[in-house]
Amino acid sequence: MDVLYPFKSLISTLLILLPIVVALSVFYENLKVQECQALLNLRTLLNSDNNMEVHTALKKDRSNMPFGINLNKEKEDKKNKEDEVLYSKIDNYLGTIELINVYLKKGIISEKEFNNQFGYRIDSIKCNPKMMQYINEEHPIVWSNLHEIIKLRN
């Protein structure tokens, strides 16, 4: 025992640090798992029928609103049931895109994964002048997370 006495403080320090190192290792592995789970959840949301319908409409016509919605109509004209459904689909799609920004800000997903997995969706939105008009004019405050993620993609 006397042989180990000079190393007593070193051994004590190692015994204290070992659980900390293991805990940090487990923590960082959990972060990777959490990021993968978040990416899977976002993909699932974005691949829902309604969101894919909006995404496909955006890809088909980069100059108009999805589904040919006319932004120049008066608000009263927008109240018919069909338009309400279409606008709710667009709002749901944009809200799901905003969720990506929330995940980014919280560090749940990385900027690299954002660009690799979802960047093209942001590009489809920002290259569509009518969609940008909808976001900028009709909902400037509501879409703050969407504005942030579009700026990030620039």
Side-chain angles (χ1 to χ4, degrees), residues 13 52 55 58 71 78 81 93 103 109:
T13 303
M52 282 304 295
H55 178 64
L58 278 170
L71 289 177
K78 293 179 185 176
K81 189 71 172 165
Y93 180 76
Y103 280 18
I109 63 172

Side-chain angles (χ1 to χ4, degrees), residues 11-70:
I11 293 171
S12 297
T13 303
L14 286 175
L15 290 174
I16 291 170
L17 288 177
L18 185 62
I20 294 171
V21 170
V22 170
L24 285 174
S25 175
V26 168
F27 174 75
Y28 285 115
E29 285 302 313
N30 281 340
L31 283 180
K32 290 178 189 175
V33 170
Q34 186 181 19
E35 179 178 28
C36 289
Q37 186 61 47
L39 290 169
L40 179 63
N41 290 343
L42 285 169
R43 280 251 168 242
T44 302
L45 286 171
L46 288 169
N47 285 323
S48 71
D49 290 342
N50 285 340
N51 283 336
M52 282 304 295
E53 193 176 349
V54 175
H55 178 64
T56 303
L58 278 170
K59 283 174 49 177
K60 280 184 185 173
D61 188 353
R62 290 195 154 193
S63 62
N64 283 309
M65 281 288 282
F67 317 113
I69 291 176
N70 182 0

Side-chain angles (χ1 to χ4, degrees), residues 23-147:
L24 285 174
S25 175
V26 168
F27 174 75
Y28 285 115
E29 285 302 313
N30 281 340
L31 283 180
K32 290 178 189 175
V33 170
Q34 186 181 19
E35 179 178 28
C36 289
Q37 186 61 47
L39 290 169
L40 179 63
N41 290 343
L42 285 169
R43 280 251 168 242
T44 302
L45 286 171
L46 288 169
N47 285 323
S48 71
D49 290 342
N50 285 340
N51 283 336
M52 282 304 295
E53 193 176 349
V54 175
H55 178 64
T56 303
L58 278 170
K59 283 174 49 177
K60 280 184 185 173
D61 188 353
R62 290 195 154 193
S63 62
N64 283 309
M65 281 288 282
F67 317 113
I69 291 176
N70 182 0
L71 289 177
N72 296 326
K73 286 182 171 182
E74 292 297 320
K75 289 191 179 195
E76 292 79 34
D77 292 342
K78 293 179 185 176
K79 297 210 187 228
N80 74 49
K81 189 71 172 165
E82 186 178 311
D83 279 357
E84 283 182 30
V85 170
L86 296 177
Y87 275 103
S88 69
K89 286 180 182 181
I90 292 169
D91 288 345
N92 181 63
Y93 180 76
L94 294 175
T96 305
I97 298 293
E98 279 192 311
L99 184 59
I100 297 169
N101 193 47
V102 173
Y103 280 18
L104 275 167
K105 288 195 289 191
K106 292 188 178 287
I108 296 171
I109 63 172
S110 67
E111 192 171 329
K112 178 182 176 187
E113 287 302 325
F114 152 67
N115 283 310
N116 289 339
Q117 300 280 329
F118 309 110
Y120 67 96
R121 290 181 185 265
I122 307 303
D123 294 343
S124 290
I125 293 169
K126 73 178 188 177
C127 290
N128 186 305
K130 298 278 184 169
M131 184 63 85
M132 290 305 297
Q133 178 185 352
Y134 177 72
I135 294 165
N136 290 329
E137 291 179 4
E138 292 203 13
H139 301 287
I141 295 169
V142 173
W143 299 119
S144 61
N145 274 305
L146 193 56
H147 287 291

